[in-house]
């Protein structure tokens, strides 16, 4: 896209503040450790209206338990580097998924099941605070299901499932109402990357796990919104009430 890859001060401050806000909202996220302002000038068209202005560059130092993403495995599978992919996957499991035994022949299946469940949980948490990621591709989805990228993100001021924080997303591919579907798409790409390492039975089970993603997401979404409304116990009308209130919010 002919970009220079540099961040400017205003976007860096915004990233710093948002990642800390997300942390204190209880949402898994990377953390901002420091913000360094550069003396280099960066030219930006902030509102994409042809008004290019000079801004100061900046760098945010971020920390996370891991920066491995779905794309980290996808690119190895795509290039046919299966031995390296297996080595990397074993390292990720050993370092970050202690509940999975390394001598378990189903460890990749267990890994996939955990990532599916935790991805559904993360996106439900995003939705519970009106957070729109902005670029939900496989390279921005953490294998540890934490929020690792703060590019063109945004928070809804009022409920609108068509809210898009990314001015370059003309088609609304990553609108907030489509985040759950984007998660499913990315997980399907993860499964595709893992298939060369699975036997036929494991492939079938993995497909069933992926089919359960929607139910897991919807269950967690409902749980979070019931908590916001102070609803106790289980009632068959709870889901209707949540949907009704969201619709009312949209009309208002």
């Amino acid at each position: 896209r002919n970009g220079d890859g540099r961040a400017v001060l205003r976007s860096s401050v915004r990233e710093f503040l948002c990642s800390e806000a997300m942390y204190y909202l209880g949402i898994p996220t990377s953390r901002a450790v420091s913000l360094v302002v550069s003396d280099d000038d960066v030219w930006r068209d902030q509102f994409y209206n042809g008004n290019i202005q000079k801004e100061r560059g900046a760098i945010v130092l971020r920390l996370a338990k891991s920066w491995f993403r779905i794309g980290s495995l996808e690119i190895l599978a795509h290039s046919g580097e299966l031995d390296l992919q297996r080595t990397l996957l074993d390292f990720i499991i050993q370092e970050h998924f202690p509940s999975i035994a390394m001598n378990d022949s189903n460890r990749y299946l267990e890994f996939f099941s955990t990532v599916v469940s935790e991805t559904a949980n993360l996106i439900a948490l995003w939705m519970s605070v009106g957070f729109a990621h902005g670029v939900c591709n496989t390279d921005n989805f953490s294998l540890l299901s934490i929020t690792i990228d703060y590019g063109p993100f945004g928070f809804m001021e009022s409920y609108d499932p068509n809210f898009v924080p990314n001015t370059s997303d003309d088609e609304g591919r990553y609108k907030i109402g489509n985040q759950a579907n984007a998660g499913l798409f990315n997980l399907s790409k993860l499964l595709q990357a893992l298939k060369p390492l699975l036997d036929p039975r494991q492939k079938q089970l993995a497909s069933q796990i992926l089919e359960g993603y929607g139910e897991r997401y919807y269950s967690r979404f409902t749980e979070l919104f019931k908590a916001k409304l102070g609803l106790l116990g289980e009632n068959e009308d709870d889901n209707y009430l949540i949907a009704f209130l969201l619709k009312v919010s949209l009309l208002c």
Side-chain angles (χ1 to χ4, degrees), residues 228-252:
K228 293 169 82 69
L229 294 170
L231 300 178
L232 304 177
E234 297 293 333
N235 189 299
E236 61 182 12
D237 292 330
D238 289 346
N239 292 340
Y240 170 79
L241 178 60
I242 293 171
F244 173 77
L245 291 174
L246 289 174
K247 185 175 182 179
V248 169
S249 299
L250 179 60
L251 294 174
C252 293

Side-chain angles (χ1 to χ4, degrees), residues 4 6 8 38-44 54-57:
D4 58 19
R6 297 180 177 181
V8 296
S38 169
D39 291 329
D40 294 339
D41 295 328
V42 181
W43 295 91
R44 286 291 180 271
K54 184 170 64 176
E55 301 188 47
R56 296 193 67 180

Side-chain angles (χ1 to χ4, degrees), residues 37-107:
V37 181
S38 169
D39 291 329
D40 294 339
D41 295 328
V42 181
W43 295 91
R44 286 291 180 271
D45 184 355
Q46 180 176 355
F47 300 106
Y48 296 91
N49 58 6
N51 185 24
I52 301 176
Q53 295 183 346
K54 184 170 64 176
E55 301 188 47
R56 296 193 67 180
I59 297 174
V60 177
L61 172 62
R62 296 181 293 164
L63 288 183
K65 291 181 179 179
S66 169
W67 294 100
F68 291 120
R69 311 128 188 271
I70 291 177
S72 303
L73 297 176
E74 188 181 15
I75 192 171
L76 294 177
H78 180 73
S79 60
E81 298 184 71
L82 299 185
D83 289 339
L84 181 56
Q85 182 187 4
R86 186 178 287 105
T87 299
L88 176 59
L89 190 52
D90 284 342
F91 172 80
I92 293 171
I93 292 173
Q94 185 172 16
E95 291 294 316
H96 302 291
F97 293 80
S99 63
I100 301 176
M102 292 305 299
N103 59 356
D104 187 349
S105 61
N106 290 316
R107 63 186 181 278

Side-chain angles (χ1 to χ4, degrees), residues 26-39:
I27 299 174
T29 181
S30 58
R31 301 287 300 275
V33 179
S34 67
L35 172 62
V36 180
V37 181
S38 169
D39 291 329

